[in-house]
Amino acid sequence: MFNFLKGVVGGSGGGQKDLPYNIGDPYPSAWSSWSHFRGTSKDDGSPVSIFSLSGSNPQDGRLAAGRNGVKRLRTVRHPNILSFLYSTEVETVDGSGTKVTIYIVTEPAMPLSEKIKELSLEGTQRDEYYAWGLHQIAKAVSFLNNDCKLVHGNVCLESVVVTQTLDWKLHAFDVLSEYDGTSGTATGPMLPYEWLVGSQYKSVELAKSDWVAIRKSPPWAIDSWGLGCLIYEIFSGMKLGKTEELRNTASIPKSLLPDYQRLLSSTPSRRLNASKLIENSEYFQNKLVDTIHFMEILSLKDSVEKDTFFRKLPNLTEQLPRQIVLKKIGSWLSAEEYTLKVLPTIIKLFASNDRAIRVALLQHIDQYGESLSARVVDEQVYPHVATGFVDTSSILRELTLKSMLIMAPKLSQRNLSGSLLKYLSKLQVDEEPAIRTNTTILLGNIASFLNDGTRKRVLINAFTVRALRDTFSPARGAGVMALCATSSYYDTTEIATRILPNIVVLTIDPDSDVRSKVFQAVDQFMQILKQSNEKSNAGDTAHAGSLGLASMPGNAGLLEWAMSSLTLKGKPSDQAPIAASNSVRPVTTTTAASSGLIETPSMAPVRVSSSSDFADAPAPPSPTSTDGWGEIENGIHEEQYSDKDGWDDIEPLEEPKPSSVLANIQAAQKRPVSQPKPQATSLRSKSTVKAVATKDEDDDLWGSIAVPTPKIASKSLKVKTSGAVEDDDPWAAIAAPPPTTKVKPLSAGRGRGTKAAAPKLGAQRINRTSSSGMQ
């Protein structure tokens, strides 16, 4: 760097080799005497554009104008003006004398004429892109003329370049100067370097060097004429040769023609201001201009406008020029470009506390989720998303649940078994019926990612004890389907003693759809048992106890069914009623067999604007969560996981009283099924039963939600009558004892005995410890 500065100051140096940038291939064209090169930074290899202007005489007027351009470009900043990065002036000495070179380094860009050839747009797409580019240049010219009171002096095709995002930007500031028309004492040329402007681009007054008329004209007069020249060149596809060619309007769009003629008015004061061109021209009102303009001011829009825009965007992008969409939206980027340019921003957005952003991310996770690496999901995305499981908004809870279809395969076993299952255990008793149903469906889909031990502890309990006893019929249907979809994970003993007894009772379910699923499930599991029996008879006992029907029709249907519903566009309502099985009111919830993830009925359009929209009631404070996304409740903390997996610490859901039919079904489901024993055992004492029960609970980490062990009352061991229930009767717990009568003693009164009590219908409890009455 010292040698470079020495060369700049002392007049000697190595020239290009001392630049902190590498100079690449030149472009075919550039403004005036400048040369335009591709370039890269020597530090990080990032692309740049390098402009150079050389002269053999240090007092050359072109060099003086170039120095003016460097100064102006460095100090004037605007989104539609080429961004300045670096400049220097180098003197090199060779055999023929001293050579002075000015270098300007800017953001990467290429000449507009070259980009137009490269894009090769036609028809409507060409007109829309030209409209967007002219809109940008008009804003830059308006900024210079109206806000800065500057005159560019040579707006034309060569003074416009195009960036990598296909934005048009104005540069070539060598002629640029202050407008001094308001000064009554100003004399001489207002534009000292106007001689650099080609005669074909000069307005009538500038061609005559009539500075008096120029100073009496508005600040935009000269540059409005230049805008007219630019419009002619881009639509005709030719560089302007002489001023008279501007009269040929055959190539100018009809919607732009009136404004084009006003820009080229022979009277300077009547020329159209660039700001008015943007506001009034019908030509700039098209889909591409409106879409990109909305995206540029997205931060100023409210949530309703954002939501409406993003809902229309997928269909809108199909109608826009593909090259523009690639640079502005990223829909068709290659996998490498998408990972490099889009995913880093998405990952950062997951850490935002704005609920509207989180909802938008989860609604469209199917479009980018597969591109996220497993490590990024597990370490950076999931910890933020998991807060949505306990959010006060049912919409966010449901979207979080659905997103796990894509995230779960990328989670580590620590997050999968230690964190996700705990949240799912809470959601399976959620107040929203659709969320409970979707939780069962999700669990069936991610079963393949769980380890064997977790599957043994979780699946049957979750699907039978929870799902099959839900008062919401689609939830019961989802439980049946989940059992079928995961049938390959159960051995014959589990099927015979834990699954079939729980689903058989649902053959009389009040809901016909549930009954239909149950009959299919019974057939499927019976087929498994039959295959096991056949193998046992054939002598193949190695696989007889662990048969699955992975190839049976419908066994893999749950995954496809749940995945397809993830792309549904409807939004769930904030609240969905918990439907009792005996309710006559129709439930507008999709059944489990047809659409997988249940969509709650959309009662009204959903508005998501900010974190306050979902927080009508304040969430309970938590010392470990201050991100505004709902608190981790019920002891769910990653740092304090127990050995159990979440289905053992949940209080039962308070549900509406079921119908008599459903109540009988639930009572039968709660009755344990005795497994076959090789020898008959005698009755054990109460203490022995309790000891065995305690041991079983210790062995089963999911004991609190497993089928309860029958407790035999000690009183039943004292008396055994002919009408007593046999101990080996599996239905003794729900069977009614024989009816009995009881004689009441005479009551003390007026010497009159009481009337005999009217006999009561139904079974009565026998008081075996009473000293009176029949024994």
Side-chain angles (χ1 to χ4, degrees):
M1 181 60 71
F2 176 77
N3 291 333
F4 172 73
L5 294 175
K6 179 180 178 182
V8 173
V9 176
S12 61
Q16 293 184 8
K17 68 178 183 180
D18 292 324
L19 282 172
Y21 297 90
N22 297 312
I23 299 179
D25 298 331
Y27 287 104
S29 62
W31 183 83
S32 188
S33 299
W34 287 87
S35 298
H36 186 183
F37 299 90
R38 299 173 179 88
T40 57
S41 171
K42 290 182 179 179
D43 292 335
D44 55 10
S46 57
V48 296
S49 278
I50 300 176
F51 297 86
S52 68
L53 176 66
S54 299
S56 58
N57 184 358
Q59 306 302 320
D60 189 344
R62 294 182 183 275
L63 292 177
R67 296 185 184 100
N68 177 67
V70 172
K71 181 184 71 174
R72 299 295 187 177
L73 191 62
R74 181 190 291 114
T75 56
V76 178
R77 299 283 182 168
H78 187 269
N80 303 121
I81 293 177
L82 190 62
S83 297
F84 173 89
L85 297 179
Y86 176 84
S87 69
T88 189
E89 185 173 333
V90 178
E91 291 186 6
T92 57
V93 180
D94 54 21
S96 60
T98 302
K99 181 180 179 181
V100 178
T101 304
I102 299 175
Y103 291 101
I104 303 178
V105 182
T106 69
E107 62 180 311
M110 68 184 301
L112 174 59
S113 58
E114 301 301 318
K115 179 56 70 174
I116 289 176
K117 294 177 184 177
E118 180 182 293
L119 293 177
S120 300
L121 296 175
E122 296 180 354
T124 303
Q125 291 191 346
R126 187 201 71 162
D127 290 344
E128 288 186 348
Y129 180 59
Y130 286 178
W132 171 243
L134 287 172
H135 185 272
Q136 293 179 302
I137 298 302
K139 287 196 296 184
V141 172
S142 175
F143 171 75
L144 293 176
N145 297 161
N146 300 307
D147 298 333
C148 303
K149 295 298 185 286
L150 296 172
V151 178
H152 183 277
N154 193 201
V155 178
C156 61
L157 185 67
E158 289 184 344
S159 64
V160 178
V161 291
V162 183
T163 65
Q164 292 180 326
T165 56
L166 299 185
D167 292 312
W168 292 18
K169 297 203 173 184
L170 186 65
H171 80 121
F173 283 5
D174 294 24
V175 184
L176 188 142
S177 182
E178 287 83 4
Y179 172 78
D180 60 1
T182 57
S183 175
T185 60
T187 59
M190 187 174 70
L191 301 177
Y193 306 106
E194 57 85 18
W195 51 270
L196 288 172
V197 180
S199 59
Q200 69 272 32
Y201 296 113
K202 291 184 177 181
S203 60
V204 178
E205 68 278 12
L206 186 59
K208 296 178 180 179
S209 298
D210 189 353
W211 300 111
V212 175
I214 291 174
R215 288 188 169 91
K216 290 181 179 179
S217 303
W220 59 83
I222 293 177
D223 289 339
S224 291
W225 181 279
L227 274 175
C229 297
L230 173 63
I231 291 173
Y232 173 83
E233 288 184 314
I234 64 173
F235 283 105
S236 66
M238 300 182 296
K239 184 177 179 179
L240 184 63
K242 53 184 179 179
T243 306
E244 289 74 15
E245 294 177 358
L246 296 172
R247 299 181 181 273
N248 184 5
T249 61
S251 61
I252 308 299
K254 293 182 179 180
S255 58
L256 186 60
L257 184 57
D259 292 329
Y260 171 77
Q261 293 172 333
R262 292 182 61 189
L263 289 171
L264 297 173
S265 174
S266 58
T267 305
S269 60
R270 298 180 60 182
R271 289 179 192 149
L272 185 64
N273 191 337
S275 63
K276 299 298 182 182
L277 174 66
I278 300 171
E279 297 172 1
N280 301 334
S281 179
E282 177 186 350
Y283 179 71
F284 296 109
Q285 299 175 6
N286 62 59
K287 294 177 182 178
L288 180 62
V289 174
D290 293 342
T291 301
I292 299 179
H293 179 66
F294 188 97
M295 294 174 64
E296 288 183 341
I297 59 174
L298 185 63
S299 60
L300 304 179
K301 301 295 184 180
D302 60 36
S303 61
V304 176
E305 293 174 307
K306 291 178 183 178
D307 187 67
T308 302
F309 173 76
F310 285 115
R311 286 182 180 275
K312 294 180 180 179
L313 188 58
N315 293 330
L316 191 60
T317 54
E318 300 294 334
Q319 307 170 32
L320 302 178
R322 186 182 184 91
Q323 296 92 328
I324 314 301
V325 174
L326 279 171
K327 300 297 183 180
K328 295 294 184 181
I329 302 174
S331 298
W332 298 303
L333 288 176
S334 65
E336 182 178 354
E337 290 180 311
Y338 192 86
T339 302
L340 181 64
K341 299 178 180 180
V342 178
L343 289 185
T345 302
I346 292 178
I347 294 170
K348 291 180 182 179
L349 288 175
F350 272 106
S352 172
N353 293 339
D354 191 332
R355 289 187 176 182
I357 293 177
R358 177 66 58 83
V359 168
L361 287 171
L362 295 179
Q363 284 177 330
H364 300 90
I365 193 172
D366 57 321
Q367 298 178 17
Y368 62 83
E370 295 299 334
S371 302
L372 295 171
S373 66
R375 181 175 180 180
V376 167
V377 171
D378 192 62
E379 298 179 0
Q380 301 181 45
V381 176
Y382 175 76
H384 297 295
V385 174
T387 60
F389 285 121
V390 292
D391 198 88
T392 55
S393 168
S394 60
I395 295 175
L396 196 52
R397 293 199 306 275
E398 185 169 35
L399 288 174
T400 303
L401 177 68
K402 292 180 180 180
S403 69
M404 291 300 110
L405 280 173
I406 293 177
M407 290 192 186
K410 301 175 184 289
L411 294 180
S412 63
Q413 281 299 317
R414 177 178 179 272
N415 277 333
L416 192 62
S417 301
S419 174
L420 177 59
L421 289 183
K422 289 180 178 290
Y423 288 119
L424 296 185
S425 71
K426 308 298 180 183
L427 292 182
Q428 215 179 15
V429 291
D430 193 90
E431 62 182 6
E432 291 290 341
I435 293 180
R436 301 200 301 270
T437 305
N438 287 334
T439 302
T440 300
I441 294 171
L442 175 65
L443 189 57
N445 277 280
I446 67 173
S448 61
F449 307 113
L450 304 175
N451 57 51
D452 293 338
T454 302
R455 282 197 293 260
K456 289 289 185 183
R457 292 194 303 268
V458 173
L459 295 185
I460 295 181
N461 286 333
F463 297 151
T464 59
V465 179
R466 287 280 177 82
L468 297 187
R469 301 180 187 179
D470 200 299
T471 57
F472 191 53
S473 59
R476 299 195 298 276
V480 176
M481 294 295 292
L483 284 168
C484 294
T486 56
S487 61
S488 60
Y489 303 126
Y490 313 128
D491 57 36
T492 54
T493 302
E494 291 173 323
I495 293 173
T497 62
R498 300 183 63 188
I499 296 177
L500 282 175
N502 280 286
I503 63 175
V504 165
V505 293
L506 292 179
T507 56
I508 58 171
D509 192 274
D511 189 278
S512 61
D513 186 66
V514 175
R515 295 196 301 270
S516 176
K517 291 182 175 64
V518 168
F519 283 117
Q520 295 175 7
V522 170
D523 291 341
Q524 178 174 334
F525 285 112
M526 288 301 297
Q527 184 66 26
I528 295 176
L529 296 180
K530 288 179 182 178
Q531 291 180 3
S532 175
N533 179 61
E534 293 173 357
K535 291 199 173 188
S536 297
N537 293 339
D540 182 8
T541 59
H543 300 87
S546 59
L547 290 176
L549 293 185
S551 60
M552 282 194 63
N555 195 44
L558 186 65
L559 182 60
E560 298 175 0
W561 149 59
M563 289 287 265
S564 64
S565 68
L566 188 64
T567 60
L568 294 178
K569 302 300 181 184
K571 278 190 175 182
S573 63
D574 282 340
Q575 297 293 334
I578 299 178
S581 59
N582 59 349
S583 174
V584 186
R585 180 178 178 182
V587 180
T588 58
T589 305
T590 310
T591 60
S594 60
S595 65
L597 291 176
I598 302 298
E599 296 290 339
T600 51
S602 298
M603 306 299 295
V606 178
R607 178 177 181 269
V608 180
S609 60
S610 65
S611 58
S612 61
D613 291 342
F614 290 109
D616 295 332
S622 170
T624 61
S625 178
T626 58
D627 59 2
W629 278 95
E631 307 300 327
I632 304 296
E633 299 174 346
N634 298 323
I636 304 180
H637 297 283
E638 279 194 16
E639 300 85 356
Q640 301 177 356
Y641 293 139
S642 65
D643 293 334
K644 304 180 182 180
D645 291 326
W647 261 269
D648 56 348
D649 56 351
I650 310 302
E651 296 297 329
L653 179 66
E654 295 182 2
E655 298 174 336
K657 185 177 180 181
S659 64
S660 57
V661 177
L662 187 57
N664 291 337
I665 293 176
Q666 292 176 341
Q669 288 173 325
K670 295 177 182 178
R671 169 60 182 165
V673 179
S674 300
Q675 299 187 12
K677 300 180 180 179
Q679 296 179 355
T681 58
S682 60
L683 296 176
R684 293 175 292 179
S685 64
K686 180 177 181 180
S687 61
T688 304
V689 172
K690 288 185 176 181
V692 174
T694 303
K695 183 178 183 303
D696 291 340
E697 290 177 358
D698 292 338
D699 292 341
D700 184 6
L701 296 179
W702 300 85
S704 61
I705 66 167
V707 180
T709 304
K711 296 183 180 180
I712 304 175
S714 58
K715 292 186 292 183
S716 62
L717 302 179
K718 295 181 180 180
V719 180
K720 182 176 181 181
T721 63
S722 58
V725 181
E726 296 295 335
D727 292 331
D728 57 356
D729 183 0
W731 303 102
I734 63 172
T740 60
T741 59
K742 184 176 181 181
V743 178
K744 292 187 178 181
L746 295 177
S747 60
R750 299 180 180 177
R752 298 168 57 186
T754 58
K755 295 182 180 180
K760 296 182 180 179
L761 299 179
Q764 304 296 319
R765 182 176 180 180
I766 302 175
N767 188 353
R768 303 186 186 279
T769 60
S770 175
S771 60
S772 61
M774 297 181 65
Q775 299 295 327

